[in-house]
Amino acid sequence: MTPESSKPPRVYFFGTCLIDAFYPDVGLAAIRLIEREGVRVLFPSGQSCCGQPAYNSGFPAEARAVARRQIRVFREDIPIVVPSGSCAGMMKHHYPKLLAGENDLPQAQAFSARVFEWSEFMVRVLGVRLEDRGAPLRVTWHSSCHAMREMQVIGHSKDLIRQLRNVELVELAHEYECCGFGGTFAVKHPAISGALVNDKVDDIQRTGAARVIAGDCGCLMNITGAADLREIPLAGQHLAEFIWERVHGG
């Protein structure tokens, strides 16, 4: 299926580890916003991690096993919608690399062609139009590295925000800089990660925005956690949860 084709009757939803463990309301919001467009969402219970932690830590065999599991679980030829640029990037761009030279490479390539980051799917495939029912609000947007550089979906995310007539989007001065999370990077290089995230918090503060919106929960966890340590009141929210709130008068 291509992004320009007609609205699919059904899609898969890949929940991500962080949404499953820490941000379940994000997953529910993302699913509900797809369903309100008349599309049925399937959530396979056998899904697991996308495999990126193992892959980035130098364990290709383990990552390959995870990739093969997802390919088996999401077996129907329908879109796979992922509310994370990081996980989507892993599944779309790195599964074929992991399985290069293997007998199941064609299956990996077919799987990857069906992967969409959530905002990309909402804009390019469903063509959603949003009615903002919330009070006036100033927000800023954090672009995750994978969503921006690998999936190249930031334009779709901002398009959704700009549809909200009562929301003012203030751009970050250093939007293209990493927040320092990087999954296992934050654990392996805490000093560098800490410096990066504190720069990001400072950049957000300078906008005067009441809230920072992002498309990756890992970035949100890192940014808001750093702000909490500095006792800075900073509200962070995933794009899907934010939009669900706005279209319902939040």
Side-chain angles (χ1 to χ4, degrees), residues 17-235:
C17 298
L18 287 178
I19 286 178
D20 179 56
F22 300 106
Y23 297 94
D25 288 344
V26 170
L28 292 173
I31 289 171
R32 287 165 179 160
L33 285 163
I34 295 172
E35 289 179 333
R36 75 195 290 265
E37 300 299 317
V39 178
R40 183 185 174 200
V41 177
L42 306 181
F43 189 93
S45 60
Q47 64 181 279
S48 65
C49 176
C50 69
Q52 188 178 92
Y55 185 60
N56 289 348
S57 297
F59 296 96
E62 289 79 359
R64 195 174 295 116
V66 174
R68 284 180 167 136
R69 178 184 179 90
Q70 308 321 309
I71 292 169
R72 289 195 303 270
V73 169
F74 294 88
R75 61 185 178 273
E76 290 189 49
D77 186 18
I78 58 177
I80 305 164
V81 183
V82 187
S84 161
S86 181
C87 297
M90 177 67 192
M91 298 165 79
K92 190 171 189 70
H93 297 289
H94 296 284
Y95 279 14
K97 295 178 183 178
L98 272 171
L99 295 171
E102 302 286 330
N103 291 335
D104 49 357
L105 174 60
Q107 290 93 324
Q109 292 170 327
F111 173 95
S112 296
R114 296 187 283 121
V115 172
F116 293 86
E117 187 272 341
W118 182 81
S119 70
E120 173 193 20
F121 185 78
M122 298 298 287
V123 173
R124 291 184 62 196
V125 180
L126 298 187
V128 298
R129 304 310 302 172
L130 303 174
E131 181 181 351
D132 190 4
R133 298 180 179 177
L137 183 70
R138 172 183 285 189
V139 304
T140 191
W141 167 263
H142 165 71
S143 293
S144 77
C145 295
H146 290 274
M148 177 168 49
R149 297 179 175 88
E150 196 164 56
M151 292 299 292
Q152 299 182 12
V153 296
I154 300 303
H156 303 307
S157 300
K158 290 184 177 180
D159 176 81
L160 292 172
I161 296 174
R162 289 182 175 127
Q163 288 187 37
L164 303 170
R165 62 181 181 178
N166 292 327
V167 174
E168 177 188 0
L169 175 61
V170 183
E171 305 281 3
L172 290 174
H174 304 287
E175 178 182 348
Y176 295 95
E177 294 183 7
C178 177
C179 76
F181 180 61
T184 56
F185 175 86
V187 177
K188 294 176 181 177
H189 305 283
I192 300 172
S193 175
L196 287 168
V197 74
N198 280 314
D199 285 347
K200 183 65 66 173
V201 171
D202 292 341
D203 197 14
I204 292 168
Q205 279 194 292
R206 284 191 289 268
T207 67
R211 202 173 304 177
V212 58
I213 311 301
D216 275 83
C217 289
C219 298
L220 282 174
M221 179 181 291
N222 195 40
I223 292 168
T224 56
D228 286 344
L229 284 175
R230 294 169 56 181
E231 298 184 348
I232 296 172
L234 177 60

